Structure formats: C-alpha cells, structure tokens
C-alpha cells in the first residue's frame, strides 16, 4: 500500500502537465512584441526569400538509431537603420508537405531585431528532411537578413548542436 501511495505522489504532478503539442500556441506577435514595429506605410519595393534546412530527426548508427532534435529558427534583421518585413515563415516535412505556417499576417522587425520559432524535440513531424521557407521584404535596399536554424539534441551522455544556414531562394529584387 505504501509503495502505491508513494508512486501516486510522485506521479501526481505529471497529471497536471500538458504535452508539448497540446499547449496553446503563442504567436510571434506576442512572443516578440519588443522586436516588432508598425508595418511601413511605403511600398515594399525589395523582396527575397530563404530556404532553411532543418533536422528534427537524424539517423545514426548505420540507420539503426534515430536521434530527435529541437529546432530553433531565427530570422535576424541585419540592417542597422531599416525595418525588415517578414512575410512568411512556413515549416515543411521531408515529403514537402507544409506542417505549419507561423504568421497570420506579415510583421515588421526593428533594425537589428530577431524573431524565432521553436520546435520541441518531441515534435518530429518534420522528419529528417524538414525545412523552412522564409519570405521577406523592405521599402528600399536593405542588408540581407540572416536566417539560421539551430538544432540541439542528444543520446545518453552525448549531446549535439549544429546550425543550418538559410540559402537565398531568389535574389533580393525590386518589384
């Protein structure tokens, strides 16, 4: 009886913990309010896009072991003086199917500001070939944004962290 009661006391806090997937999502607008400013009123004359490989799962040990990673996608406005408009942040799985769209509407980043997307280790919807597409725009010429994904995970006592840099999908161009 005591062992059962002790086990119940230990497990009781877990009854109140919600799984990561079931937790309510907080939008970029809420999470990064200090990084955002009002959308520019001028026409968005320059635009571009990035493809960012991400690895929510990686095969190891001759394919016999799968290691899952958390993924943090960061979009940095590299301009010291101009806002950067982020038009789309979309997450795709190995088959190219869209898993998630993270923006309801475009957002404007302050100069040198950053927004991030976090995908927890237990969210393996992206698989071994996951990727992001990030579309951006600005009112005039601007330093190209820096877009990267950081993967962190481990097996037993071994921990791994690596970065995947975004690659332009189209050259920044005037409309």
């Amino acid at each position: 009886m005591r062992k059962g009661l002790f086990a119940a006391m230990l497990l009781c806090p877990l009854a109140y913990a919600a799984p990561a997937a079931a937790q309510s999502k907080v939008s970029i607008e809420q999470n990064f309010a200090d990084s955002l400013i009002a959308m520019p009123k001028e026409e968005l004359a320059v635009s571009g896009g990035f493809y960012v490989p991400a690895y929510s799962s990686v095969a190891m040990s001759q394919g016999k072991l799968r290691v899952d990673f958390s993924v943090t996608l960061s979009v940095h406005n590299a301009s010291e003086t101009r806002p950067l408009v982020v038009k789309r942040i979309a997450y795709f799985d190995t088959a190219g199917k869209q898993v998630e769209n993270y923006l309801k509407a475009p957002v404007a980043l302050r100069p040198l500001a950053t927004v991030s997307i976090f995908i927890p280790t237990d969210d393996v919807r992206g698989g071994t070939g996951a990727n992001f597409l990030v579309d951006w725009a600005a009112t005039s010429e601007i330093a190209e944004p820096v877009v990267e994904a950081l993967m962190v995970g481990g097996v037993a006592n071994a921990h791994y962290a690596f970065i995947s840099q975004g690659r332009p999908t189209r050259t920044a161009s005037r409309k």
Side-chain angles (χ1 to χ4, degrees), residues 64-154:
K64 296 177 185 170
L65 175 67
R66 185 184 86 192
V67 179
D68 298 328
F69 292 88
S70 65
V71 178
T72 302
L73 175 81
S74 295
V75 179
H76 304 269
N77 181 357
S79 172
E80 290 184 67
T81 58
R82 291 194 168 89
L84 173 77
V85 174
V86 180
K87 297 171 72 175
R88 173 171 74 151
I89 299 175
Y91 183 50
F92 296 84
D93 68 11
T94 303
K97 180 182 171 199
Q98 184 171 317
V99 174
E100 196 82 42
N101 182 18
Y102 291 96
L103 292 178
K104 293 177 186 148
V107 295
L109 272 69
R110 295 179 182 281
L112 300 177
T114 302
V115 293
S116 298
I117 299 297
F118 178 76
I119 299 172
T121 306
D122 62 353
D123 183 348
V124 295
R125 295 177 296 165
T128 57
N131 59 81
F132 290 93
L133 289 179
V134 177
D135 292 333
W136 62 272
T139 57
S140 60
E141 287 189 24
I142 189 173
E144 193 168 65
V146 177
V147 185
E148 298 175 320
L150 168 66
M151 278 63 63
V152 179

